[in-house]
Coordinates of all heavy atoms in Angstrom, one line a residue:
M1 N 5.8 3.7 10.3 CA 5.4 2.3 9.8 C 4.1 2.0 10.4 O 3.8 2.2 11.6 CB 6.5 1.3 10.3 CG 6.2 -0.1 9.8 SD 7.6 -1.2 10.0 CE 7.4 -1.6 11.7
V2 N 3.2 1.6 9.6 CA 1.8 1.3 10.0 C 1.5 -0.2 10.0 O 0.4 -0.6 10.4 CB 0.8 2.1 9.1 CG1 0.9 3.6 9.4 CG2 0.9 1.7 7.7
G3 N 2.4 -1.0 9.5 CA 2.2 -2.4 9.4 C 3.4 -3.2 9.2 O 4.4 -2.8 8.6
D4 N 3.4 -4.4 9.7 CA 4.5 -5.4 9.5 C 3.9 -6.7 9.2 O 3.4 -7.4 10.1 CB 5.4 -5.5 10.8 CG 6.6 -6.3 10.6 OD1 6.8 -7.0 9.6 OD2 7.4 -6.4 11.6
V5 N 3.8 -7.0 7.9 CA 3.1 -8.2 7.5 C 4.1 -9.4 7.4 O 5.1 -9.2 6.7 CB 2.4 -8.0 6.1 CG1 1.7 -9.3 5.7 CG2 1.5 -6.8 6.2
R6 N 3.9 -10.4 8.1 CA 4.8 -11.6 8.0 C 4.2 -12.8 7.4 O 3.0 -13.1 7.6 CB 5.2 -12.0 9.5 CG 6.0 -10.9 10.1 CD 6.3 -11.2 11.6 NE 7.0 -10.1 12.2 CZ 8.3 -10.1 12.4 NH1 9.1 -11.1 12.1 NH2 8.9 -9.1 13.0
V7 N 4.9 -13.3 6.4 CA 4.5 -14.6 5.7 C 5.7 -15.5 5.9 O 6.7 -15.3 5.3 CB 4.2 -14.3 4.2 CG1 3.8 -15.6 3.6 CG2 3.1 -13.3 4.1
W8 N 5.5 -16.5 6.8 CA 6.5 -17.4 7.2 C 7.7 -16.6 7.8 O 7.5 -15.8 8.7 CB 7.0 -18.4 6.1 CG 5.9 -19.3 5.7 CD1 4.9 -19.9 6.5 CD2 5.5 -19.7 4.4 NE1 4.1 -20.6 5.8 CE2 4.4 -20.5 4.5 CE3 6.0 -19.4 3.1 CZ2 3.8 -21.1 3.4 CZ3 5.5 -20.0 2.0 CH2 4.4 -20.9 2.2
S9 N 8.9 -16.6 7.2 CA 10.0 -15.8 7.8 C 10.2 -14.5 7.0 O 11.1 -13.8 7.4 CB 11.3 -16.7 7.7 OG 11.6 -16.9 6.4
E10 N 9.3 -14.2 6.1 CA 9.5 -13.0 5.3 C 8.7 -11.9 5.9 O 7.6 -12.1 6.5 CB 9.0 -13.2 3.8 CG 9.7 -14.4 3.2 CD 11.2 -14.3 3.1 OE1 11.7 -13.1 3.0 OE2 11.9 -15.3 3.1
R11 N 9.2 -10.6 5.8 CA 8.5 -9.4 6.3 C 8.2 -8.5 5.1 O 9.0 -8.3 4.2 CB 9.4 -8.7 7.3 CG 9.6 -9.5 8.5 CD 10.6 -8.8 9.5 NE 9.9 -7.7 10.1 CZ 10.5 -6.9 10.9 NH1 11.7 -7.0 11.1 NH2 9.8 -5.9 11.4
H12 N 7.1 -7.8 5.3 CA 6.6 -6.8 4.3 C 6.2 -5.6 5.2 O 5.3 -5.7 6.0 CB 5.5 -7.3 3.5 CG 5.7 -8.7 2.9 ND1 6.7 -8.9 1.9 CD2 5.2 -9.9 3.1 CE1 6.7 -10.2 1.6 NE2 5.8 -10.8 2.3
L13 N 6.9 -4.5 5.0 CA 6.7 -3.3 5.8 C 5.9 -2.3 5.1 O 6.1 -1.9 4.0 CB 8.1 -2.7 6.2 CG 9.1 -3.7 6.8 CD1 10.4 -2.9 7.1 CD2 8.5 -4.3 8.1
M14 N 4.8 -1.8 5.9 CA 3.9 -0.8 5.3 C 4.1 0.5 5.9 O 4.3 0.6 7.2 CB 2.4 -1.3 5.6 CG 2.1 -2.6 5.0 SD 0.4 -3.3 5.5 CE -0.6 -1.9 5.3
F15 N 4.2 1.6 5.1 CA 4.4 2.9 5.5 C 3.4 3.9 5.0 O 3.0 3.8 3.9 CB 5.8 3.4 5.0 CG 7.0 2.6 5.5 CD1 7.4 1.5 4.8 CD2 7.5 2.9 6.7 CE1 8.5 0.8 5.3 CE2 8.6 2.2 7.2 CZ 9.1 1.1 6.5
A16 N 2.9 4.7 5.9 CA 1.9 5.8 5.6 C 1.9 6.8 6.7 O 2.4 6.5 7.8 CB 0.5 5.2 5.4
T17 N 1.4 8.0 6.4 CA 1.2 8.9 7.5 C -0.3 8.9 7.9 O -1.2 8.4 7.1 CB 1.5 10.4 7.0 OG1 0.7 10.7 5.9 CG2 3.0 10.4 6.7
K18 N -0.6 9.4 9.0 CA -2.0 9.4 9.5 C -2.6 10.8 9.7 O -3.1 11.1 10.8 CB -2.0 8.6 10.8 CG -1.6 7.1 10.7 CD -1.8 6.4 12.0 CE -1.4 4.9 11.8 NZ -1.5 4.2 13.1
T19 N -2.4 11.6 8.7 CA -3.1 12.9 8.8 C -4.6 12.8 8.6 O -5.0 11.8 8.0 CB -2.5 13.9 7.7 OG1 -2.8 13.4 6.4 CG2 -1.0 14.0 7.8
K20 N -5.3 13.7 9.1 CA -6.8 13.7 8.9 C -7.2 13.6 7.5 O -8.1 12.8 7.1 CB -7.4 14.9 9.6 CG -8.9 14.9 9.6 CD -9.5 16.1 10.4 CE -11.0 16.0 10.4 NZ -11.6 17.1 11.1
W21 N -6.5 14.4 6.6 CA -6.9 14.4 5.2 C -6.6 13.0 4.6 O -7.4 12.5 3.8 CB -6.0 15.4 4.4 CG -6.3 15.4 3.0 CD1 -7.3 16.1 2.3 CD2 -5.6 14.7 1.9 NE1 -7.3 15.8 1.0 CE2 -6.3 15.0 0.7 CE3 -4.5 13.9 1.9 CZ2 -5.8 14.4 -0.5 CZ3 -4.1 13.3 0.7 CH2 -4.8 13.6 -0.5
Q22 N -5.5 12.4 4.9 CA -5.2 11.1 4.3 C -6.2 10.0 4.9 O -6.6 9.1 4.1 CB -3.8 10.7 4.6 CG -2.8 11.5 3.8 CD -1.4 11.0 3.9 OE1 -1.0 10.5 4.9 NE2 -0.6 11.1 2.8
I23 N -6.5 10.1 6.1 CA -7.5 9.1 6.7 C -8.8 9.2 5.9 O -9.4 8.2 5.5 CB -7.6 9.3 8.2 CG1 -6.3 8.8 8.9 CG2 -8.8 8.5 8.7 CD1 -6.3 9.2 10.4
T24 N -9.3 10.4 5.8 CA -10.6 10.7 5.1 C -10.5 10.2 3.7 O -11.4 9.6 3.1 CB -10.9 12.2 5.2 OG1 -11.0 12.5 6.6 CG2 -12.3 12.4 4.5
T25 N -9.4 10.6 3.0 CA -9.2 10.2 1.6 C -9.2 8.7 1.4 O -9.9 8.2 0.5 CB -7.9 10.8 1.0 OG1 -8.0 12.3 1.2 CG2 -7.7 10.5 -0.4
R26 N -8.4 8.0 2.2 CA -8.3 6.6 1.9 C -9.6 5.9 2.3 O -10.0 4.9 1.7 CB -7.1 6.0 2.7 CG -7.3 5.9 4.1 CD -6.1 5.2 4.7 NE -6.3 5.0 6.1 CZ -5.5 5.5 7.1 NH1 -4.5 6.2 6.8 NH2 -5.8 5.2 8.3
Q27 N -10.4 6.4 3.2 CA -11.7 5.7 3.6 C -12.8 6.0 2.6 O -13.7 5.2 2.4 CB -12.1 6.2 5.0 CG -11.2 5.6 6.1 CD -11.6 6.1 7.5 OE1 -12.2 7.1 7.6 NE2 -11.1 5.4 8.5
Q28 N -12.7 7.1 1.9 CA -13.7 7.5 0.9 C -13.4 7.0 -0.5 O -14.2 7.1 -1.4 CB -13.9 9.0 0.9 CG -14.6 9.4 2.2 CD -14.7 11.0 2.3 OE1 -14.2 11.7 1.4 NE2 -15.4 11.4 3.3
A29 N -12.1 6.6 -0.7 CA -11.7 6.2 -2.1 C -12.5 5.0 -2.6 O -12.7 4.0 -1.9 CB -10.2 5.9 -2.1
K30 N -12.9 5.1 -3.8 CA -13.7 4.0 -4.5 C -12.8 3.2 -5.4 O -13.1 2.1 -5.8 CB -14.9 4.5 -5.2 CG -15.9 5.1 -4.2 CD -17.1 5.7 -5.0 CE -18.0 6.3 -3.9 NZ -19.2 7.0 -4.5
R31 N -11.7 3.8 -5.9 CA -10.8 3.1 -6.8 C -9.3 3.3 -6.3 O -9.0 4.4 -5.8 CB -10.9 3.7 -8.2 CG -12.1 3.3 -8.9 CD -12.0 3.8 -10.3 NE -13.3 3.9 -10.9 CZ -13.6 4.4 -12.0 NH1 -12.6 4.9 -12.7 NH2 -14.8 4.4 -12.5
W32 N -8.5 2.3 -6.4 CA -7.1 2.4 -6.1 C -6.3 2.1 -7.3 O -6.7 1.2 -8.1 CB -6.7 1.5 -5.0 CG -7.5 1.5 -3.7 CD1 -8.3 2.6 -3.3 CD2 -7.5 0.5 -2.7 NE1 -8.8 2.2 -2.0 CE2 -8.3 1.0 -1.7 CE3 -6.9 -0.7 -2.6 CZ2 -8.6 0.3 -0.5 CZ3 -7.1 -1.4 -1.4 CH2 -7.9 -0.9 -0.4
Y33 N -5.2 2.7 -7.4 CA -4.2 2.3 -8.4 C -3.0 1.8 -7.7 O -2.5 2.4 -6.8 CB -3.8 3.6 -9.3 CG -2.7 3.3 -10.2 CD1 -2.9 2.6 -11.4 CD2 -1.4 3.8 -10.0 CE1 -1.9 2.4 -12.3 CE2 -0.4 3.6 -10.9 CZ -0.6 2.9 -12.0 OH 0.4 2.7 -12.9
L34 N -2.6 0.6 -8.0 CA -1.4 0.0 -7.3 C -0.3 -0.1 -8.3 O -0.5 -0.4 -9.5 CB -1.8 -1.5 -6.9 CG -2.7 -1.5 -5.7 CD1 -4.1 -1.5 -6.1 CD2 -2.4 -2.7 -4.8
D35 N 0.9 0.3 -7.8 CA 2.0 0.3 -8.7 C 3.2 -0.3 -8.0 O 3.3 -0.2 -6.8 CB 2.4 1.8 -9.0 CG 3.4 1.9 -10.1 OD1 3.6 0.9 -10.9 OD2 4.1 2.9 -10.2
G36 N 4.0 -1.0 -8.7 CA 5.2 -1.7 -8.1 C 6.4 -1.3 -8.9 O 6.4 -1.1 -10.1
T37 N 7.5 -1.2 -8.2 CA 8.8 -1.0 -8.8 C 9.8 -1.9 -8.2 O 9.7 -2.3 -7.0 CB 9.3 0.5 -8.6 OG1 10.5 0.6 -9.4 CG2 9.5 0.9 -7.2
F38 N 10.8 -2.4 -9.0 CA 11.8 -3.3 -8.5 C 13.2 -2.8 -8.5 O 14.0 -3.2 -7.7 CB 11.7 -4.6 -9.4 CG 10.3 -5.1 -9.6 CD1 9.6 -4.8 -10.7 CD2 9.8 -6.0 -8.6 CE1 8.3 -5.3 -10.9 CE2 8.5 -6.5 -8.8 CZ 7.8 -6.1 -9.9
Q39 N 13.5 -1.9 -9.4 CA 14.8 -1.4 -9.6 C 15.5 -0.7 -8.5 O 16.7 -0.8 -8.3 CB 14.9 -0.5 -10.9 CG 14.4 -1.2 -12.1 CD 15.3 -2.3 -12.7 OE1 16.5 -2.1 -12.5 NE2 14.8 -3.3 -13.3
V40 N 14.7 0.1 -7.8 CA 15.4 1.0 -6.8 C 15.2 0.6 -5.3 O 15.5 1.3 -4.4 CB 14.7 2.5 -6.9 CG1 15.0 3.0 -8.3 CG2 13.2 2.4 -6.6
V41 N 14.8 -0.6 -5.1 CA 14.5 -1.1 -3.8 C 15.8 -1.7 -3.2 O 16.4 -2.5 -3.8 CB 13.4 -2.2 -3.8 CG1 13.1 -2.7 -2.5 CG2 12.2 -1.6 -4.5
P42 N 16.1 -1.3 -1.9 CA 17.3 -1.8 -1.3 C 17.1 -3.2 -0.8 O 16.0 -3.6 -0.4 CB 17.5 -0.8 -0.1 CG 16.2 -0.3 0.2 CD 15.4 -0.3 -1.1
K43 N 18.2 -4.0 -0.8 CA 18.1 -5.3 -0.2 C 17.9 -5.2 1.3 O 18.4 -4.3 1.9 CB 19.4 -6.1 -0.6 CG 19.6 -6.3 -2.1 CD 20.6 -7.4 -2.4 CE 20.8 -7.6 -3.8 NZ 19.7 -7.9 -4.6
P44 N 17.2 -6.1 1.9 CA 16.7 -7.4 1.5 C 15.4 -7.4 0.8 O 14.8 -8.4 0.6 CB 16.6 -8.2 2.8 CG 16.2 -7.1 3.8 CD 16.9 -5.9 3.3
F45 N 14.9 -6.2 0.5 CA 13.6 -6.1 -0.2 C 13.7 -6.3 -1.7 O 14.7 -6.0 -2.3 CB 12.9 -4.8 0.2 CG 12.7 -4.7 1.7 CD1 13.5 -3.9 2.4 CD2 11.7 -5.3 2.3 CE1 13.4 -3.7 3.8 CE2 11.5 -5.2 3.7 CZ 12.4 -4.4 4.4
T46 N 12.6 -6.8 -2.3 CA 12.6 -7.0 -3.7 C 11.7 -6.1 -4.5 O 11.7 -6.1 -5.7 CB 12.3 -8.5 -4.0 OG1 11.0 -8.8 -3.5 CG2 13.3 -9.4 -3.4
Q47 N 10.7 -5.5 -3.8 CA 9.7 -4.7 -4.5 C 9.2 -3.6 -3.6 O 9.0 -3.9 -2.4 CB 8.6 -5.6 -5.0 CG 7.5 -4.8 -5.7 CD 6.3 -5.6 -6.2 OE1 6.2 -6.8 -5.8 NE2 5.5 -5.1 -7.0
M48 N 8.9 -2.5 -4.1 CA 8.1 -1.5 -3.4 C 6.7 -1.4 -4.1 O 6.7 -1.1 -5.3 CB 8.7 -0.1 -3.4 CG 7.9 0.9 -2.6 SD 8.6 2.5 -2.5 CE 8.3 3.1 -4.2
W49 N 5.7 -1.6 -3.4 CA 4.3 -1.6 -3.9 C 3.7 -0.3 -3.3 O 3.8 -0.1 -2.1 CB 3.6 -2.8 -3.4 CG 2.6 -3.3 -4.3 CD1 2.3 -3.0 -5.6 CD2 1.6 -4.3 -3.9 NE1 1.2 -3.7 -6.0 CE2 0.7 -4.5 -5.0 CE3 1.3 -5.0 -2.7 CZ2 -0.3 -5.4 -5.0 CZ3 0.2 -5.8 -2.7 CH2 -0.6 -6.0 -3.8
S50 N 3.1 0.5 -4.1 CA 2.4 1.7 -3.6 C 0.9 1.7 -4.0 O 0.5 1.1 -5.0 CB 3.1 3.0 -4.2 OG 3.1 2.9 -5.6
V51 N 0.1 2.3 -3.1 CA -1.3 2.4 -3.3 C -1.7 3.9 -3.5 O -1.3 4.7 -2.7 CB -2.1 1.8 -2.1 CG1 -3.6 1.9 -2.3 CG2 -1.6 0.4 -1.9
H52 N -2.4 4.2 -4.6 CA -2.8 5.6 -4.9 C -4.3 5.6 -5.2 O -4.7 5.2 -6.2 CB -2.1 6.0 -6.2 CG -0.6 5.8 -6.3 ND1 0.3 6.8 -6.2 CD2 0.1 4.7 -6.3 CE1 1.5 6.4 -6.2 NE2 1.5 5.1 -6.3
P53 N -5.0 6.1 -4.2 CA -6.5 6.2 -4.5 C -6.7 7.4 -5.4 O -5.9 8.3 -5.5 CB -7.1 6.6 -3.1 CG -6.0 6.2 -2.1 CD -4.7 6.3 -2.8
F54 N -7.8 7.3 -6.2 CA -8.2 8.4 -7.0 C -8.9 9.5 -6.2 O -9.8 9.1 -5.4 CB -9.1 8.0 -8.2 CG -8.3 7.2 -9.2 CD1 -8.1 5.9 -9.1 CD2 -7.7 7.9 -10.3 CE1 -7.3 5.2 -10.1 CE2 -6.9 7.3 -11.2 CZ -6.8 5.9 -11.1
V55 N -8.6 10.7 -6.3 CA -9.2 11.8 -5.5 C -9.8 12.8 -6.5 O -9.1 13.2 -7.4 CB -8.1 12.5 -4.6 CG1 -8.7 13.7 -3.9 CG2 -7.4 11.5 -3.7
R56 N -11.0 13.2 -6.2 CA -11.7 14.1 -7.1 C -12.0 15.4 -6.4 O -12.4 15.4 -5.3 CB -13.0 13.5 -7.6 CG -13.7 14.4 -8.6 CD -15.0 13.8 -9.1 NE -15.6 14.6 -10.1 CZ -15.8 14.3 -11.3 NH1 -15.5 13.1 -11.7 NH2 -16.3 15.1 -12.2
Q57 N -11.6 16.5 -7.1 CA -11.9 17.8 -6.5 C -12.5 18.6 -7.7 O -11.8 19.0 -8.6 CB -10.6 18.5 -6.0 CG -10.7 19.0 -4.7 CD -9.4 19.5 -4.2 OE1 -8.5 19.8 -4.9 NE2 -9.3 19.7 -2.9
G58 N -13.8 18.9 -7.6 CA -14.5 19.6 -8.7 C -14.5 18.7 -9.9 O -14.9 17.6 -9.9
E59 N -13.9 19.3 -11.0 CA -13.9 18.5 -12.3 C -12.6 17.7 -12.4 O -12.4 17.0 -13.4 CB -14.0 19.5 -13.5 CG -15.3 20.3 -13.5 CD -16.5 19.3 -13.8 OE1 -16.3 18.5 -14.7 OE2 -17.5 19.4 -13.2
C60 N -11.7 17.9 -11.5 CA -10.3 17.3 -11.6 C -10.2 16.0 -10.8 O -10.6 16.0 -9.6 CB -9.3 18.3 -11.2 SG -7.6 17.7 -11.4
T61 N -9.7 14.9 -11.4 CA -9.5 13.7 -10.7 C -8.0 13.3 -10.8 O -7.5 13.4 -11.9 CB -10.3 12.5 -11.3 OG1 -11.7 12.9 -11.2 CG2 -10.1 11.2 -10.6
K62 N -7.4 13.1 -9.7 CA -6.0 12.8 -9.6 C -5.8 11.6 -8.7 O -6.6 11.2 -7.9 CB -5.2 13.9 -9.1 CG -5.2 15.1 -10.0 CD -4.3 16.2 -9.4 CE -4.3 17.4 -10.4 NZ -3.4 18.5 -9.9
Q63 N -4.6 10.9 -8.8 CA -4.3 9.9 -7.9 C -3.2 10.4 -7.0 O -2.3 11.2 -7.4 CB -3.9 8.6 -8.6 CG -2.8 8.8 -9.6 CD -2.5 7.5 -10.3 OE1 -2.3 6.5 -9.7 NE2 -2.4 7.5 -11.6
T64 N -3.2 10.0 -5.7 CA -2.2 10.5 -4.8 C -1.7 9.3 -4.0 O -2.5 8.5 -3.6 CB -2.8 11.6 -3.8 OG1 -1.8 12.1 -3.0 CG2 -4.0 11.1 -3.1
P65 N -0.4 9.2 -3.8 CA 0.1 8.1 -3.0 C -0.2 8.2 -1.5 O 0.0 9.2 -0.9 CB 1.6 8.2 -3.2 CG 1.9 9.6 -3.6 CD 0.7 10.1 -4.2
L66 N -0.7 7.1 -1.0 CA -1.1 7.1 0.4 C -0.4 6.0 1.2 O -0.4 6.1 2.4 CB -2.6 7.0 0.6 CG -3.5 8.2 0.1 CD1 -4.9 7.9 0.4 CD2 -3.0 9.5 0.8
L67 N 0.0 5.0 0.6 CA 0.6 3.8 1.3 C 1.7 3.2 0.4 O 1.6 3.1 -0.8 CB -0.5 2.8 1.5 CG -0.1 1.5 2.2 CD1 0.2 1.8 3.7 CD2 -1.2 0.5 2.1
F68 N 2.8 2.9 1.1 CA 3.9 2.2 0.5 C 4.3 0.9 1.2 O 4.2 0.9 2.4 CB 5.2 3.1 0.5 CG 5.0 4.4 -0.3 CD1 4.5 5.5 0.3 CD2 5.2 4.4 -1.7 CE1 4.3 6.7 -0.4 CE2 5.0 5.6 -2.4 CZ 4.6 6.7 -1.7
V69 N 4.6 -0.1 0.5 CA 4.9 -1.4 1.1 C 6.2 -1.9 0.5 O 6.4 -2.0 -0.7 CB 3.8 -2.5 0.8 CG1 4.2 -3.8 1.5 CG2 2.4 -2.0 1.2
L70 N 7.2 -2.1 1.4 CA 8.4 -2.8 1.0 C 8.3 -4.3 1.2 O 8.0 -4.7 2.3 CB 9.6 -2.3 1.9 CG 10.1 -0.9 1.6 CD1 11.1 -0.4 2.6 CD2 10.6 -0.7 0.2
M71 N 8.3 -5.0 0.1 CA 8.1 -6.4 0.1 C 9.4 -7.2 -0.1 O 10.3 -6.9 -0.9 CB 7.1 -6.8 -1.0 CG 5.8 -6.2 -0.9 SD 4.6 -6.7 -2.2 CE 4.4 -8.5 -1.8
S72 N 9.6 -8.2 0.8 CA 10.8 -9.0 0.7 C 10.7 -10.2 -0.2 O 11.7 -10.8 -0.6 CB 11.2 -9.5 2.1 OG 10.2 -10.2 2.7
K73 N 9.5 -10.6 -0.6 CA 9.3 -11.7 -1.6 C 8.1 -11.3 -2.5 O 7.3 -10.4 -2.1 CB 9.0 -13.0 -0.9 CG 10.1 -13.6 -0.2 CD 11.1 -14.2 -1.2 CE 12.2 -14.9 -0.4 NZ 13.3 -15.4 -1.2
R74 N 8.0 -12.0 -3.6 CA 6.9 -11.7 -4.6 C 6.1 -12.9 -4.9 O 5.8 -13.2 -6.0 CB 7.5 -11.0 -5.8 CG 8.1 -9.7 -5.5 CD 8.6 -9.0 -6.8 NE 9.2 -9.9 -7.8 CZ 10.4 -9.6 -8.3 NH1 11.1 -8.6 -8.0 NH2 10.9 -10.4 -9.2
R75 N 5.8 -13.7 -3.9 CA 5.0 -14.9 -4.1 C 3.5 -14.6 -4.0 O 3.1 -13.6 -3.4 CB 5.4 -16.0 -3.1 CG 6.9 -16.3 -3.1 CD 7.2 -17.2 -1.9 NE 6.9 -16.4 -0.7 CZ 7.4 -16.7 0.5 NH1 8.2 -17.7 0.7 NH2 7.1 -15.9 1.5
T76 N 2.7 -15.5 -4.5 CA 1.2 -15.3 -4.4 C 0.8 -15.1 -3.0 O 0.0 -14.2 -2.7 CB 0.5 -16.5 -5.0 OG1 0.9 -16.7 -6.4 CG2 -1.0 -16.4 -4.9
Q77 N 1.3 -15.9 -2.0 CA 0.9 -15.8 -0.6 C 1.3 -14.4 0.0 O 0.7 -13.9 0.8 CB 1.4 -17.0 0.2 CG 2.9 -17.2 0.2 CD 3.3 -18.2 -0.8 OE1 2.8 -18.3 -1.9 NE2 4.4 -18.9 -0.5
D78 N 2.4 -13.9 -0.5 CA 2.9 -12.6 -0.1 C 1.9 -11.5 -0.5 O 1.5 -10.6 0.3 CB 4.3 -12.2 -0.6 CG 5.3 -13.2 -0.1 OD1 5.3 -13.5 1.2 OD2 6.0 -13.8 -0.9
Y79 N 1.5 -11.5 -1.8 CA 0.6 -10.5 -2.3 C -0.8 -10.7 -1.6 O -1.4 -9.6 -1.3 CB 0.4 -10.7 -3.8 CG 1.6 -10.2 -4.6 CD1 2.4 -11.1 -5.3 CD2 1.8 -8.8 -4.7 CE1 3.5 -10.6 -6.0 CE2 2.9 -8.3 -5.4 CZ 3.7 -9.2 -6.1 OH 4.8 -8.8 -6.8
I80 N -1.2 -11.9 -1.3 CA -2.5 -12.0 -0.6 C -2.5 -11.5 0.8 O -3.3 -10.7 1.2 CB -2.9 -13.5 -0.6 CG1 -3.3 -14.0 -2.0 CG2 -4.1 -13.8 0.4 CD1 -3.4 -15.5 -2.1
A81 N -1.4 -11.8 1.5 CA -1.3 -11.3 2.9 C -1.2 -9.7 2.9 O -1.8 -9.1 3.7 CB -0.1 -11.9 3.6
V82 N -0.4 -9.2 2.0 CA -0.2 -7.7 1.9 C -1.6 -7.1 1.5 O -2.0 -6.1 2.1 CB 0.9 -7.3 1.0 CG1 0.9 -5.8 0.7 CG2 2.2 -7.7 1.6
S83 N -2.2 -7.7 0.5 CA -3.5 -7.1 0.1 C -4.6 -7.0 1.2 O -5.3 -6.1 1.3 CB -4.1 -7.9 -1.1 OG -3.2 -7.8 -2.2
I84 N -4.6 -8.1 2.0 CA -5.6 -8.1 3.1 C -5.2 -7.0 4.1 O -6.1 -6.3 4.5 CB -5.6 -9.5 3.8 CG1 -6.2 -10.5 2.9 CG2 -6.3 -9.4 5.1 CD1 -6.0 -12.0 3.3
N85 N -4.0 -6.8 4.4 CA -3.6 -5.8 5.3 C -3.8 -4.4 4.7 O -4.1 -3.4 5.4 CB -2.1 -6.0 5.7 CG -2.0 -7.0 6.8 OD1 -2.1 -6.7 8.0 ND2 -1.8 -8.3 6.4
I86 N -3.6 -4.2 3.4 CA -3.9 -2.9 2.8 C -5.3 -2.6 2.9 O -5.7 -1.5 3.2 CB -3.4 -2.9 1.3 CG1 -1.9 -2.9 1.2 CG2 -4.0 -1.8 0.5 CD1 -1.4 -3.1 -0.2
A87 N -6.2 -3.6 2.6 CA -7.6 -3.3 2.7 C -8.0 -3.0 4.1 O -8.8 -2.0 4.3 CB -8.4 -4.6 2.2
Y88 N -7.5 -3.6 5.1 CA -7.8 -3.3 6.5 C -7.3 -1.9 6.8 O -8.1 -1.1 7.4 CB -7.1 -4.3 7.4 CG -7.2 -4.0 8.8 CD1 -8.4 -4.2 9.5 CD2 -6.2 -3.4 9.5 CE1 -8.6 -3.9 10.8 CE2 -6.3 -3.1 10.9 CZ -7.5 -3.3 11.5 OH -7.6 -3.0 12.8
F89 N -6.1 -1.6 6.4 CA -5.6 -0.3 6.7 C -6.4 0.8 6.0 O -6.7 1.9 6.6 CB -4.1 -0.2 6.3 CG -3.5 1.2 6.5 CD1 -3.2 1.6 7.7 CD2 -3.4 2.1 5.4 CE1 -2.6 2.9 7.9 CE2 -2.8 3.3 5.6 CZ -2.5 3.7 6.9
M90 N -6.7 0.7 4.7 CA -7.4 1.7 4.0 C -8.8 2.0 4.5 O -9.2 3.1 4.4 CB -7.4 1.3 2.5 CG -6.0 1.2 1.8 SD -5.2 2.8 1.7 CE -5.9 3.5 0.2
Y91 N -9.5 1.0 5.0 CA -10.9 1.2 5.4 C -11.1 1.3 6.9 O -12.0 2.0 7.3 CB -11.7 0.2 4.7 CG -11.9 0.4 3.3 CD1 -11.5 -0.5 2.4 CD2 -12.6 1.5 2.8 CE1 -11.6 -0.3 1.0 CE2 -12.7 1.7 1.4 CZ -12.3 0.8 0.6 OH -12.4 1.0 -0.8
L92 N -10.3 0.6 7.7 CA -10.7 0.5 9.1 C -9.9 1.3 10.0 O -10.4 1.6 11.1 CB -10.7 -1.0 9.5 CG -11.6 -1.9 8.6 CD1 -11.5 -3.4 9.1 CD2 -13.1 -1.5 8.8
K93 N -8.7 1.6 9.7 CA -7.9 2.3 10.7 C -8.2 3.8 10.7 O -8.4 4.4 9.7 CB -6.4 2.0 10.5 CG -6.0 0.7 11.0 CD -4.5 0.6 11.1 CE -4.1 -0.7 11.7 NZ -2.7 -0.9 11.8

């Protein structure tokens, strides 16, 4: 777990690994693809949000998952708080 984002009484848990390749990849990424799923998330969470930067190697560009967030609510303030923490994690840590 790399983050615990709290918005009032709700928690949003961030998960990622900290390998050298992943740190370099996430810091150099210029585009991210964000994806959310609702169906397979265990209670008390309501959504899993994942961040996939685009990675280029030679002529090939792919997206690779680097960060997952289990969200307990899906309100505007939750997305704002999680987005700020994602940006901080992706570039500064």
Side-chain angles (χ1 to χ4, degrees):
M1 188 166 77
V2 296
D4 185 354
V5 181
R6 294 176 185 256
V7 179
W8 297 321
S9 63
E10 306 301 330
R11 294 176 74 185
H12 311 290
L13 306 178
M14 297 173 51
F15 296 93
T17 59
K18 294 183 179 181
T19 65
K20 185 176 181 178
W21 179 84
Q22 286 188 331
I23 291 169
T24 302
T25 299
R26 73 175 187 242
Q27 289 175 341
Q28 293 176 352
K30 295 180 182 173
R31 290 186 198 172
W32 303 344
Y33 174 74
L34 287 90
D35 191 22
T37 186
F38 309 96
Q39 301 289 328
V40 297
V41 181
K43 295 198 182 302
F45 300 102
T46 60
Q47 178 180 13
M48 182 179 73
W49 209 16
S50 56
V51 179
H52 308 252
F54 286 90
V55 178
R56 185 178 183 118
Q57 232 177 15
E59 297 293 318
C60 185
T61 301
K62 295 183 179 183
Q63 52 182 312
T64 182
L66 292 183
L67 178 72
F68 298 92
V69 183
L70 286 173
M71 297 182 66
S72 58
K73 291 286 183 185
R74 298 186 315 232
R75 302 168 300 196
T76 300
Q77 59 264 34
D78 299 307
Y79 286 110
I80 291 170
V82 169
S83 297
I84 290 168
N85 280 273
I86 287 172
Y88 174 76
F89 176 77
M90 295 293 278
Y91 286 116
L92 299 178
K93 284 192 174 183

